[in-house]
Amino acid sequence: MFSHLDQKVFEKNTLLISPVFVDKEHKGKGIGTKLIKQGIHDLVPLGYKLGLETQNPDNVALYERLGFRTVEYKFFKSEKIHNYYMVYKPEE
């Protein structure tokens, strides 16, 4: 589901990867990474564009390693929230 801001940032027909959560007991085992990689593997060859939003600056490097690039960044000062809008653009 797009918010009004998502529609301004992401191209039309971009599939957004919703937050990926892994139970605390299983964090650090690569499960979240495998889920995202599987989505990339299944959807990109079909012509889909992929996007995501993260509010955790620590996650940006992980998403970059998976081929996502920041297309817009917003900092909401009053809430102290970082928003990184990223799209899948593997290096060619």
Side-chain angles (χ1 to χ4, degrees):
M1 176 173 221
F2 283 111
S3 74
H4 68 284
L5 181 56
D6 294 339
Q7 291 175 348
K8 293 177 184 176
V9 173
F10 296 109
E11 291 181 37
K12 188 175 181 179
N13 298 323
T14 298
L15 298 178
L16 294 183
I17 298 173
S18 293
V20 177
F21 294 100
V22 177
D23 187 89
K24 289 179 184 179
E25 289 182 36
H26 301 288
K27 283 191 176 201
K29 297 179 181 177
I31 295 169
T33 299
K34 287 178 186 174
L35 289 170
I36 293 170
K37 283 183 175 180
Q38 188 65 50
I40 291 168
H41 178 266
D42 291 347
L43 298 169
V44 170
L46 298 175
Y48 290 102
K49 299 171 197 154
L50 302 178
L52 61 84
E53 175 186 352
T54 184
Q55 295 177 341
N56 185 343
D58 295 335
N59 290 341
V60 173
L62 165 68
Y63 293 129
E64 287 175 341
R65 284 193 302 275
L66 294 172
F68 289 85
R69 304 293 173 251
T70 300
V71 293
E72 188 161 335
Y73 168 77
K74 299 245 183 220
F75 179 69
F76 298 95
K77 191 174 182 179
S78 60
E79 296 91 359
K80 297 180 183 170
I81 294 175
H82 300 269
N83 271 4
Y84 296 85
Y85 299 92
M86 305 181 81
V87 294
Y88 182 72
K89 290 184 181 180
E91 293 182 22
E92 298 173 9

Coordinates of all heavy atoms in Angstrom, one line a residue:
M1 N 0.8 -1.2 0.0 CA 0.0 0.0 0.0 C 0.9 1.2 0.0 O 1.8 1.3 0.8 CB -0.9 0.0 1.2 CG -1.8 1.2 1.4 SD -2.9 1.0 2.7 CE -4.3 1.7 1.9
F2 N 0.6 2.2 -0.9 CA 1.4 3.4 -1.0 C 0.8 4.5 -0.1 O -0.4 4.6 0.1 CB 1.3 3.9 -2.4 CG 2.2 3.2 -3.4 CD1 1.6 2.4 -4.4 CD2 3.5 3.3 -3.3 CE1 2.4 1.8 -5.3 CE2 4.3 2.7 -4.3 CZ 3.8 1.9 -5.2
S3 N 1.7 5.3 0.5 CA 1.2 6.5 1.1 C 1.3 7.6 0.0 O 1.9 7.3 -1.0 CB 2.1 6.9 2.3 OG 3.3 7.3 1.9
H4 N 0.8 8.8 0.3 CA 0.9 9.8 -0.7 C 2.3 10.2 -1.0 O 2.7 10.5 -2.1 CB 0.1 11.1 -0.2 CG 0.8 11.7 1.0 ND1 0.7 11.2 2.3 CD2 1.5 12.8 1.1 CE1 1.3 12.0 3.1 NE2 1.9 13.0 2.4
L5 N 3.2 10.0 0.0 CA 4.6 10.3 -0.2 C 5.3 9.2 -1.1 O 6.0 9.5 -2.0 CB 5.4 10.4 1.1 CG 6.9 10.8 1.0 CD1 7.1 12.1 0.2 CD2 7.5 10.9 2.3
D6 N 4.9 8.0 -0.9 CA 5.5 6.9 -1.7 C 5.2 7.1 -3.1 O 6.0 6.8 -4.0 CB 4.9 5.6 -1.2 CG 5.3 5.1 0.2 OD1 6.3 5.6 0.7 OD2 4.6 4.3 0.7
Q7 N 4.0 7.6 -3.5 CA 3.6 7.9 -4.8 C 4.5 8.9 -5.5 O 4.7 8.9 -6.7 CB 2.1 8.2 -4.9 CG 1.2 7.1 -4.6 CD -0.2 7.5 -4.6 OE1 -0.6 8.6 -4.6 NE2 -1.1 6.5 -4.5
K8 N 5.0 9.8 -4.7 CA 5.9 10.9 -5.2 C 7.3 10.4 -5.4 O 8.0 10.9 -6.2 CB 5.8 12.1 -4.3 CG 4.5 12.8 -4.3 CD 4.5 14.0 -3.3 CE 3.2 14.6 -3.2 NZ 3.2 15.7 -2.2
V9 N 7.7 9.4 -4.6 CA 9.1 9.0 -4.6 C 9.3 7.8 -5.6 O 10.3 7.8 -6.3 CB 9.5 8.6 -3.2 CG1 10.9 7.9 -3.2 CG2 9.5 9.7 -2.2
F10 N 8.5 6.8 -5.5 CA 8.6 5.6 -6.3 C 7.9 5.7 -7.6 O 6.8 6.3 -7.7 CB 8.1 4.4 -5.5 CG 8.9 4.1 -4.3 CD1 8.3 4.3 -3.0 CD2 10.2 3.6 -4.3 CE1 9.0 4.1 -1.9 CE2 10.9 3.4 -3.2 CZ 10.3 3.6 -1.9
E11 N 8.5 5.1 -8.7 CA 7.9 5.1 -10.0 C 6.6 4.2 -9.9 O 6.4 3.4 -9.0 CB 8.8 4.4 -11.0 CG 10.0 5.2 -11.3 CD 10.9 4.4 -12.4 OE1 10.3 3.8 -13.3 OE2 12.1 4.5 -12.3
K12 N 5.7 4.5 -10.8 CA 4.4 3.8 -10.8 C 4.7 2.3 -11.0 O 5.7 1.9 -11.7 CB 3.6 4.3 -12.0 CG 2.2 3.7 -12.1 CD 1.4 4.3 -13.2 CE 0.0 3.8 -13.2 NZ -0.8 4.4 -14.2
N13 N 3.9 1.4 -10.4 CA 4.1 0.0 -10.5 C 5.3 -0.6 -9.8 O 5.8 -1.6 -10.2 CB 4.0 -0.5 -12.0 CG 2.6 -0.2 -12.6 OD1 1.6 -0.2 -11.9 ND2 2.6 0.2 -13.8
T14 N 5.8 0.2 -8.9 CA 6.9 -0.4 -8.1 C 6.4 -1.2 -6.9 O 5.5 -0.7 -6.2 CB 7.8 0.8 -7.5 OG1 8.4 1.5 -8.6 CG2 8.9 0.3 -6.6
L15 N 6.8 -2.4 -6.8 CA 6.4 -3.2 -5.6 C 7.3 -2.8 -4.4 O 8.5 -2.8 -4.5 CB 6.6 -4.7 -6.0 CG 5.8 -5.3 -7.1 CD1 6.1 -6.7 -7.3 CD2 4.3 -5.1 -6.9
L16 N 6.6 -2.6 -3.3 CA 7.3 -2.2 -2.1 C 7.5 -3.4 -1.2 O 6.5 -4.2 -1.0 CB 6.6 -1.1 -1.3 CG 6.5 0.2 -2.0 CD1 5.8 1.2 -1.1 CD2 7.8 0.7 -2.4
I17 N 8.7 -3.6 -0.8 CA 9.0 -4.7 0.2 C 8.6 -4.1 1.5 O 9.2 -3.1 2.0 CB 10.5 -5.0 0.1 CG1 10.8 -5.6 -1.2 CG2 10.8 -6.0 1.3 CD1 12.3 -5.9 -1.4
S18 N 7.6 -4.7 2.1 CA 7.2 -4.3 3.5 C 8.3 -4.6 4.5 O 9.2 -5.4 4.2 CB 5.9 -5.0 3.9 OG 4.8 -4.6 3.0
P19 N 8.2 -4.0 5.6 CA 9.2 -4.4 6.6 C 9.3 -5.9 6.8 O 8.4 -6.6 6.8 CB 8.7 -3.7 7.9 CG 7.8 -2.6 7.5 CD 7.2 -3.1 6.2
V20 N 10.6 -6.3 6.9 CA 10.9 -7.7 7.1 C 11.3 -7.9 8.5 O 12.3 -7.3 8.9 CB 12.0 -8.2 6.1 CG1 12.4 -9.7 6.4 CG2 11.6 -8.0 4.7
F21 N 10.6 -8.6 9.3 CA 10.9 -8.9 10.7 C 11.3 -10.3 10.9 O 10.6 -11.2 10.4 CB 9.7 -8.5 11.6 CG 9.3 -7.1 11.6 CD1 8.3 -6.6 10.8 CD2 10.1 -6.1 12.3 CE1 7.9 -5.3 10.8 CE2 9.7 -4.8 12.3 CZ 8.7 -4.4 11.5
V22 N 12.3 -10.5 11.7 CA 12.7 -11.9 12.1 C 12.7 -12.0 13.6 O 13.1 -11.0 14.3 CB 14.1 -12.2 11.5 CG1 14.6 -13.5 12.0 CG2 14.2 -12.0 10.0
D23 N 12.1 -13.0 14.1 CA 12.0 -13.2 15.5 C 13.4 -13.1 16.1 O 14.4 -13.5 15.6 CB 11.4 -14.6 15.8 CG 11.2 -14.9 17.3 OD1 10.1 -14.5 17.7 OD2 12.1 -15.3 17.9
K24 N 13.5 -12.5 17.3 CA 14.7 -12.3 18.0 C 15.6 -13.6 18.1 O 16.8 -13.5 18.0 CB 14.5 -11.7 19.4 CG 14.0 -10.3 19.4 CD 13.8 -9.8 20.8 CE 13.2 -8.4 20.8 NZ 12.9 -7.9 22.1
E25 N 14.9 -14.7 18.3 CA 15.7 -16.0 18.5 C 16.4 -16.3 17.2 O 17.4 -17.1 17.2 CB 14.7 -17.1 18.8 CG 14.1 -17.1 20.2 CD 13.2 -18.3 20.4 OE1 13.5 -19.4 19.9 OE2 12.2 -18.1 21.1
H26 N 16.0 -15.8 16.1 CA 16.5 -16.2 14.8 C 17.3 -15.1 14.0 O 17.7 -15.3 12.9 CB 15.4 -16.8 13.9 CG 14.7 -17.9 14.5 ND1 15.3 -19.2 14.6 CD2 13.5 -18.0 15.1 CE1 14.5 -20.0 15.2 NE2 13.4 -19.3 15.5
K27 N 17.4 -14.0 14.7 CA 18.2 -12.9 14.1 C 19.6 -13.3 13.9 O 20.2 -14.0 14.7 CB 18.1 -11.6 14.9 CG 16.7 -10.9 14.7 CD 16.7 -9.5 15.4 CE 15.4 -8.9 15.0 NZ 15.4 -7.5 15.1
G28 N 20.2 -12.7 12.9 CA 21.6 -12.9 12.6 C 21.9 -14.2 11.9 O 23.1 -14.6 11.7
K29 N 20.9 -14.9 11.4 CA 21.1 -16.2 10.7 C 20.9 -16.0 9.2 O 20.9 -17.0 8.5 CB 20.1 -17.2 11.2 CG 20.3 -17.6 12.7 CD 19.3 -18.6 13.2 CE 19.4 -18.9 14.7 NZ 18.4 -19.8 15.2
G30 N 20.6 -14.8 8.8 CA 20.5 -14.6 7.3 C 19.1 -14.8 6.8 O 18.9 -14.8 5.6
I31 N 18.1 -15.0 7.6 CA 16.8 -15.3 7.2 C 16.2 -14.1 6.4 O 15.6 -14.3 5.3 CB 15.9 -15.7 8.4 CG1 16.4 -17.1 9.0 CG2 14.4 -15.9 7.9 CD1 15.8 -17.4 10.3
G32 N 16.2 -12.9 7.0 CA 15.7 -11.8 6.3 C 16.4 -11.5 5.0 O 15.7 -11.2 4.0
T33 N 17.7 -11.7 4.9 CA 18.4 -11.5 3.7 C 18.0 -12.5 2.7 O 17.8 -12.1 1.5 CB 19.9 -11.6 4.0 OG1 20.3 -10.6 4.9 CG2 20.7 -11.5 2.7
K34 N 17.8 -13.7 3.1 CA 17.4 -14.8 2.1 C 16.0 -14.5 1.6 O 15.7 -14.7 0.4 CB 17.4 -16.2 2.8 CG 18.8 -16.7 3.0 CD 18.8 -18.0 3.7 CE 20.2 -18.5 4.0 NZ 20.2 -19.7 4.8
L35 N 15.1 -14.0 2.4 CA 13.7 -13.6 2.0 C 13.8 -12.5 0.9 O 13.1 -12.6 -0.1 CB 12.9 -13.2 3.1 CG 12.4 -14.3 4.1 CD1 11.8 -13.7 5.4 CD2 11.5 -15.2 3.4
I36 N 14.6 -11.5 1.1 CA 14.7 -10.4 0.2 C 15.3 -10.9 -1.1 O 14.9 -10.6 -2.2 CB 15.4 -9.2 0.8 CG1 14.6 -8.6 2.0 CG2 15.7 -8.1 -0.3 CD1 15.4 -7.6 2.8
K37 N 16.4 -11.7 -1.0 CA 17.0 -12.2 -2.2 C 16.1 -13.1 -3.0 O 16.1 -13.0 -4.2 CB 18.3 -13.0 -1.8 CG 19.5 -12.2 -1.4 CD 20.7 -13.1 -1.1 CE 21.9 -12.3 -0.8 NZ 23.1 -13.2 -0.5
Q38 N 15.2 -13.8 -2.3 CA 14.3 -14.7 -3.1 C 13.3 -13.8 -3.8 O 12.9 -14.1 -5.0 CB 13.5 -15.6 -2.1 CG 12.7 -16.6 -2.8 CD 13.5 -17.6 -3.7 OE1 14.4 -18.2 -3.2 NE2 13.1 -17.8 -4.9
G39 N 12.8 -12.7 -3.2 CA 11.9 -11.8 -3.9 C 12.6 -11.2 -5.1 O 11.9 -11.1 -6.1
I40 N 13.8 -10.8 -5.0 CA 14.6 -10.2 -6.1 C 14.7 -11.3 -7.2 O 14.4 -11.0 -8.4 CB 16.0 -9.7 -5.6 CG1 15.9 -8.5 -4.7 CG2 16.8 -9.4 -6.9 CD1 17.1 -8.2 -4.0
H41 N 15.1 -12.5 -6.8 CA 15.2 -13.5 -7.8 C 13.9 -13.8 -8.5 O 13.9 -14.1 -9.8 CB 15.7 -14.8 -7.1 CG 15.9 -16.0 -7.9 ND1 14.9 -16.9 -8.1 CD2 16.9 -16.4 -8.7 CE1 15.3 -17.9 -8.9 NE2 16.5 -17.6 -9.3
D42 N 12.8 -13.8 -7.8 CA 11.5 -14.2 -8.4 C 10.9 -13.1 -9.2 O 10.2 -13.3 -10.2 CB 10.5 -14.6 -7.4 CG 10.9 -16.0 -6.7 OD1 11.8 -16.7 -7.2 OD2 10.3 -16.3 -5.6
L43 N 11.0 -11.8 -8.8 CA 10.3 -10.7 -9.3 C 11.0 -9.9 -10.4 O 10.4 -9.4 -11.4 CB 9.8 -9.8 -8.2 CG 8.8 -10.5 -7.2 CD1 8.6 -9.6 -6.0 CD2 7.5 -10.8 -7.9
V44 N 12.3 -9.6 -10.2 CA 13.0 -8.8 -11.2 C 13.0 -9.4 -12.6 O 12.7 -8.6 -13.6 CB 14.4 -8.5 -10.7 CG1 15.3 -7.8 -11.7 CG2 14.3 -7.6 -9.4
P45 N 13.2 -10.7 -12.8 CA 13.2 -11.2 -14.1 C 11.8 -11.1 -14.8 O 11.7 -11.1 -16.0 CB 13.5 -12.7 -13.9 CG 14.3 -12.8 -12.7 CD 13.7 -11.7 -11.8
L46 N 10.8 -10.9 -14.0 CA 9.4 -10.7 -14.6 C 9.2 -9.2 -14.9 O 8.1 -8.9 -15.4 CB 8.4 -11.2 -13.6 CG 8.4 -12.7 -13.2 CD1 7.4 -13.0 -12.2 CD2 8.2 -13.5 -14.5
G47 N 10.2 -8.4 -14.7 CA 10.0 -7.0 -15.1 C 9.5 -6.1 -14.0 O 9.3 -4.9 -14.2
Y48 N 9.4 -6.6 -12.8 CA 8.9 -5.7 -11.6 C 10.0 -4.8 -11.1 O 11.2 -5.2 -11.1 CB 8.4 -6.6 -10.5 CG 7.1 -7.3 -10.8 CD1 7.1 -8.6 -11.2 CD2 5.9 -6.6 -10.8 CE1 5.9 -9.3 -11.5 CE2 4.7 -7.2 -11.1 CZ 4.7 -8.6 -11.4 OH 3.6 -9.2 -11.7
K49 N 9.7 -3.6 -10.7 CA 10.6 -2.7 -10.0 C 10.3 -2.9 -8.5 O 9.2 -3.1 -8.1 CB 10.2 -1.3 -10.4 CG 10.4 -1.0 -11.9 CD 9.8 0.4 -12.2 CE 9.6 0.5 -13.7 NZ 8.6 1.5 -14.0
L50 N 11.4 -2.9 -7.8 CA 11.3 -3.1 -6.3 C 11.7 -1.9 -5.6 O 12.7 -1.2 -5.9 CB 12.1 -4.3 -5.9 CG 11.8 -5.6 -6.6 CD1 12.8 -6.7 -6.1 CD2 10.4 -6.0 -6.3
G51 N 11.0 -1.6 -4.5 CA 11.4 -0.4 -3.6 C 11.2 -0.8 -2.2 O 10.5 -1.8 -1.9
L52 N 11.8 0.0 -1.3 CA 11.5 -0.2 0.1 C 11.8 1.1 0.8 O 12.4 2.1 0.3 CB 12.4 -1.3 0.7 CG 13.9 -1.2 0.6 CD1 14.5 -0.3 1.7 CD2 14.6 -2.5 0.6
E53 N 11.4 1.2 2.1 CA 11.6 2.3 2.9 C 12.1 1.8 4.2 O 11.6 0.8 4.8 CB 10.3 3.1 3.2 CG 10.4 4.2 4.1 CD 9.1 4.8 4.5 OE1 8.1 4.5 3.8 OE2 9.0 5.6 5.4
T54 N 13.2 2.4 4.7 CA 13.7 2.0 6.1 C 13.9 3.3 6.9 O 14.3 4.3 6.4 CB 15.0 1.2 6.0 OG1 15.4 0.8 7.3 CG2 16.1 2.0 5.3
Q55 N 13.6 3.1 8.1 CA 13.8 4.2 9.1 C 15.1 4.0 10.0 O 15.4 4.8 10.8 CB 12.6 4.5 9.9 CG 11.4 4.9 9.1 CD 10.1 5.1 9.9 OE1 10.0 4.6 11.0 NE2 9.2 5.8 9.4
N56 N 15.7 2.9 9.7 CA 16.9 2.5 10.5 C 18.2 2.7 9.7 O 18.4 1.9 8.8 CB 16.8 1.1 11.0 CG 17.9 0.6 11.9 OD1 18.9 1.3 12.0 ND2 17.7 -0.5 12.6
P57 N 18.9 3.7 10.0 CA 20.2 4.0 9.3 C 21.1 2.8 9.2 O 21.9 2.6 8.3 CB 20.8 5.2 10.0 CG 19.7 5.9 10.7 CD 18.7 4.8 11.1
D58 N 21.0 1.9 10.2 CA 21.9 0.7 10.3 C 21.5 -0.3 9.2 O 22.4 -1.1 8.9 CB 21.8 0.1 11.7 CG 22.4 0.9 12.8 OD1 23.2 1.8 12.5 OD2 21.9 0.7 13.9
N59 N 20.3 -0.2 8.7 CA 19.9 -1.1 7.6 C 20.3 -0.7 6.2 O 20.3 -1.6 5.3 CB 18.4 -1.3 7.7 CG 17.9 -2.1 8.9 OD1 18.7 -2.7 9.5 ND2 16.6 -1.9 9.2
V60 N 20.7 0.5 6.0 CA 21.0 1.0 4.7 C 22.1 0.2 4.0 O 22.0 -0.2 2.9 CB 21.3 2.5 4.7 CG1 21.8 3.0 3.4 CG2 20.1 3.3 5.2
A61 N 23.2 0.0 4.7 CA 24.3 -0.8 4.2 C 23.9 -2.2 3.7 O 24.3 -2.7 2.7 CB 25.5 -0.9 5.1
L62 N 23.0 -2.9 4.5 CA 22.6 -4.2 4.1 C 21.8 -4.1 2.8 O 22.0 -4.9 1.9 CB 21.7 -4.7 5.2 CG 20.8 -6.0 4.8 CD1 21.7 -7.2 4.6 CD2 19.7 -6.2 5.8
Y63 N 20.9 -3.2 2.7 CA 20.1 -3.1 1.5 C 21.0 -2.7 0.3 O 20.7 -3.2 -0.8 CB 18.9 -2.1 1.7 CG 17.9 -2.5 2.7 CD1 17.5 -1.7 3.7 CD2 17.3 -3.8 2.6 CE1 16.5 -2.1 4.6 CE2 16.4 -4.2 3.5 CZ 16.0 -3.4 4.5 OH 15.0 -3.8 5.4
E64 N 22.0 -1.9 0.5 CA 22.9 -1.5 -0.6 C 23.6 -2.8 -1.1 O 23.8 -3.0 -2.3 CB 23.9 -0.5 -0.1 CG 23.2 0.9 0.0 CD 24.2 2.0 0.6 OE1 25.2 1.6 1.2 OE2 23.8 3.2 0.4
R65 N 24.1 -3.6 -0.1 CA 24.7 -4.9 -0.5 C 23.8 -5.8 -1.4 O 24.3 -6.5 -2.2 CB 25.2 -5.6 0.7 CG 26.5 -5.1 1.3 CD 27.1 -6.0 2.3 NE 26.3 -6.4 3.4 CZ 26.1 -5.7 4.6 NH1 26.7 -4.5 4.7 NH2 25.3 -6.2 5.5
L66 N 22.5 -5.6 -1.1 CA 21.5 -6.4 -1.9 C 21.2 -5.8 -3.2 O 20.4 -6.4 -4.0 CB 20.3 -6.7 -1.0 CG 20.5 -7.5 0.2 CD1 19.2 -7.5 1.1 CD2 20.9 -9.0 -0.2
G67 N 21.7 -4.6 -3.5 CA 21.4 -4.0 -4.8 C 20.5 -2.8 -4.8 O 20.1 -2.2 -5.8
F68 N 20.1 -2.3 -3.6 CA 19.2 -1.2 -3.5 C 20.0 0.1 -3.3 O 21.1 0.1 -2.8 CB 18.3 -1.3 -2.2 CG 17.2 -2.4 -2.4 CD1 17.5 -3.7 -2.1 CD2 16.0 -2.1 -2.9 CE1 16.6 -4.7 -2.3 CE2 15.0 -3.1 -3.1 CZ 15.3 -4.4 -2.8
R69 N 19.5 1.2 -3.9 CA 20.1 2.5 -3.8 C 19.1 3.5 -3.3 O 17.9 3.5 -3.6 CB 20.6 2.9 -5.2 CG 21.5 2.0 -5.9 CD 22.8 1.9 -5.2 NE 23.7 0.8 -5.8 CZ 23.9 -0.3 -5.1 NH1 23.5 -0.6 -3.9 NH2 24.7 -1.3 -5.7
T70 N 19.6 4.4 -2.4 CA 18.7 5.5 -1.9 C 18.4 6.5 -3.0 O 19.3 7.0 -3.6 CB 19.5 6.2 -0.7 OG1 19.8 5.2 0.3 CG2 18.6 7.3 -0.1
V71 N 17.1 6.7 -3.2 CA 16.7 7.7 -4.2 C 16.2 9.0 -3.5 O 16.1 10.0 -4.1 CB 15.6 7.1 -5.1 CG1 16.2 6.0 -6.0 CG2 14.4 6.6 -4.4
E72 N 15.8 8.9 -2.2 CA 15.4 10.0 -1.5 C 15.6 9.8 0.0 O 15.4 8.7 0.5 CB 13.9 10.4 -1.7 CG 13.5 11.7 -1.1 CD 12.3 12.3 -1.8 OE1 12.0 12.0 -2.9 OE2 11.6 13.1 -1.1
Y73 N 16.0 10.8 0.7 CA 16.2 10.8 2.2 C 15.5 11.9 2.8 O 15.6 13.0 2.3 CB 17.7 10.8 2.5 CG 17.9 11.0 4.0 CD1 17.8 10.0 4.9 CD2 18.3 12.3 4.5 CE1 18.0 10.2 6.3 CE2 18.5 12.5 5.8 CZ 18.4 11.5 6.7 OH 18.6 11.7 8.0
K74 N 14.8 11.7 3.8 CA 14.1 12.7 4.6 C 14.4 12.5 6.1 O 14.4 11.4 6.6 CB 12.6 12.7 4.4 CG 12.1 12.9 3.0 CD 11.3 14.1 2.9 CE 10.8 14.2 1.4 NZ 10.9 15.5 0.9
F75 N 14.6 13.6 6.8 CA 14.7 13.5 8.2 C 13.6 14.4 8.8 O 13.5 15.6 8.5 CB 16.1 14.1 8.7 CG 16.2 14.0 10.2 CD1 16.3 12.8 10.9 CD2 16.3 15.2 10.9 CE1 16.5 12.8 12.2 CE2 16.4 15.2 12.3 CZ 16.5 14.0 13.0
F76 N 12.8 13.8 9.7 CA 11.7 14.5 10.3 C 12.2 14.9 11.7 O 12.2 14.0 12.6 CB 10.4 13.6 10.3 CG 10.0 13.3 9.0 CD1 10.3 12.1 8.3 CD2 9.2 14.2 8.3 CE1 9.9 11.8 7.1 CE2 8.7 13.9 7.0 CZ 9.1 12.7 6.4
K77 N 12.6 16.1 11.8 CA 13.3 16.6 13.0 C 12.5 16.5 14.3 O 13.0 16.0 15.3 CB 13.6 18.1 12.8 CG 14.6 18.7 13.8 CD 15.0 20.1 13.4 CE 16.0 20.7 14.4 NZ 16.4 22.0 14.0
S78 N 11.2 16.8 14.2 CA 10.4 16.8 15.4 C 10.2 15.4 16.0 O 10.2 15.2 17.2 CB 9.0 17.5 15.2 OG 8.3 16.8 14.2
E79 N 10.1 14.4 15.1 CA 10.0 13.0 15.5 C 11.3 12.3 15.6 O 11.4 11.1 16.0 CB 9.1 12.2 14.5 CG 7.7 12.8 14.5 CD 7.5 13.8 13.4 OE1 8.4 14.2 12.7 OE2 6.3 14.3 13.3
K80 N 12.4 12.9 15.1 CA 13.7 12.3 15.0 C 13.7 11.0 14.2 O 14.3 10.0 14.6 CB 14.3 12.1 16.4 CG 14.5 13.4 17.1 CD 15.1 13.2 18.5 CE 15.2 14.6 19.2 NZ 15.5 14.4 20.6
I81 N 13.0 11.0 13.1 CA 12.9 9.9 12.2 C 13.6 10.1 10.9 O 13.5 11.1 10.2 CB 11.4 9.6 11.9 CG1 10.7 9.2 13.2 CG2 11.2 8.4 10.9 CD1 9.2 9.0 13.1
H82 N 14.4 9.1 10.6 CA 15.1 9.1 9.3 C 14.3 8.2 8.3 O 13.9 7.1 8.7 CB 16.5 8.4 9.4 CG 17.4 9.0 10.4 ND1 18.3 10.0 10.0 CD2 17.6 8.9 11.7 CE1 19.0 10.4 11.0 NE2 18.6 9.8 12.1
N83 N 14.1 8.7 7.1 CA 13.4 7.9 6.1 C 14.3 7.8 4.9 O 14.6 8.8 4.3 CB 12.1 8.5 5.7 CG 10.9 8.0 6.5 OD1 11.1 7.3 7.5 ND2 9.7 8.5 6.2
Y84 N 14.7 6.5 4.6 CA 15.5 6.3 3.4 C 14.5 5.5 2.4 O 14.0 4.5 2.7 CB 16.7 5.3 3.7 CG 17.7 6.0 4.6 CD1 17.5 5.9 6.0 CD2 18.8 6.6 4.2 CE1 18.4 6.4 6.9 CE2 19.7 7.1 5.0 CZ 19.5 7.1 6.4 OH 20.5 7.6 7.2
Y85 N 14.4 6.1 1.3 CA 13.6 5.5 0.2 C 14.5 4.9 -0.8 O 15.4 5.6 -1.3 CB 12.7 6.6 -0.5 CG 11.7 7.2 0.5 CD1 12.0 8.3 1.2 CD2 10.5 6.6 0.8 CE1 11.1 8.9 2.1 CE2 9.6 7.1 1.7 CZ 9.9 8.3 2.3 OH 9.0 8.8 3.2
M86 N 14.4 3.6 -1.0 CA 15.4 2.9 -1.8 C 14.8 2.1 -2.9 O 13.7 1.6 -2.7 CB 16.3 2.0 -0.9 CG 16.9 2.7 0.3 SD 17.9 1.6 1.4 CE 19.4 1.5 0.4
V87 N 15.5 2.0 -4.0 CA 15.0 1.2 -5.1 C 16.1 0.2 -5.5 O 17.3 0.4 -5.3 CB 14.5 2.0 -6.4 CG1 13.3 2.9 -6.0 CG2 15.7 2.8 -6.9
Y88 N 15.6 -0.9 -6.1 CA 16.6 -2.0 -6.5 C 17.2 -1.5 -7.8 O 16.5 -1.4 -8.8 CB 15.8 -3.3 -6.7 CG 16.8 -4.4 -7.1 CD1 17.7 -4.9 -6.1 CD2 16.7 -5.0 -8.3 CE1 18.5 -6.0 -6.5 CE2 17.6 -6.0 -8.7 CZ 18.5 -6.5 -7.8 OH 19.4 -7.5 -8.1
K89 N 18.5 -1.3 -7.8 CA 19.3 -0.9 -9.0 C 20.6 -1.6 -8.8 O 21.6 -1.0 -8.4 CB 19.5 0.6 -9.0 CG 18.2 1.4 -9.4 CD 18.6 2.8 -9.5 CE 17.3 3.6 -9.8 NZ 17.6 5.1 -9.9
P90 N 20.7 -2.8 -9.2 CA 22.0 -3.5 -9.1 C 23.1 -2.8 -10.0 O 22.7 -2.3 -11.0 CB 21.8 -4.9 -9.5 CG 20.6 -4.8 -10.4 CD 19.8 -3.7 -9.9
E91 N 24.3 -2.8 -9.5 CA 25.4 -2.3 -10.3 C 25.5 -3.1 -11.6 O 25.4 -4.3 -11.6 CB 26.7 -2.3 -9.5 CG 26.7 -1.4 -8.3 CD 28.0 -1.4 -7.6 OE1 29.0 -1.7 -8.2 OE2 27.9 -1.0 -6.4
E92 N 25.7 -2.3 -12.7 CA 25.8 -3.0 -14.0 C 27.2 -3.1 -14.4 O 28.1 -2.5 -14.1 CB 24.9 -2.2 -15.0 CG 23.5 -2.2 -14.5 CD 22.6 -1.3 -15.4 OE1 23.1 -0.8 -16.5 OE2 21.5 -1.1 -15.0

